[in-house]
Amino acid sequence: EATPAQVSLAWLLSRPGVAAPIVSATSLEQLSDTLKAAELTLSADDLAALTTRSPDVLTYLPAAGKDTQAASDAFAKYLRKE
């Protein structure tokens, strides 16, 4: 059984454009547990469900270029469903 952190990281690793998700840990045990995500295979249905329920932040960044405020504003607009 996978932890939420493992599922989240496995999903991120499956996303196009995500080269290296950043993780942190407060202990070696936590780091070891989190890194098991690299061995986790999510089904197509799981990936689709997670993708449907998660905003695609990456779509906001290219439109904003290097303007992080514009990206932040676009993401906030998405969250407000405007």
Side-chain angles (χ1 to χ4, degrees):
E1 190 167 306
T3 66
Q6 291 168 343
V7 172
S8 297
L9 188 54
W11 176 75
L12 281 172
L13 289 168
S14 78
R15 304 290 294 147
V18 177
I22 298 172
V23 300
S24 66
T26 57
S27 68
L28 287 175
E29 179 182 355
Q30 185 183 30
L31 179 61
S32 176
D33 184 63
T34 301
L35 292 178
K36 290 177 185 174
E39 301 167 3
L40 182 61
T41 302
L42 299 173
S43 71
D45 288 343
D46 290 338
L47 290 171
L50 290 165
T51 300
T52 299
R53 289 169 178 78
S54 302
D56 192 354
V57 177
L58 296 177
T59 62
Y60 298 102
L61 298 179
K66 294 186 181 206
D67 184 350
T68 56
Q69 185 60 52
S72 178
D73 292 345
F75 186 57
K77 184 176 179 179
Y78 170 85
L79 292 176
R80 291 190 302 269
K81 309 255 189 262
E82 293 178 6

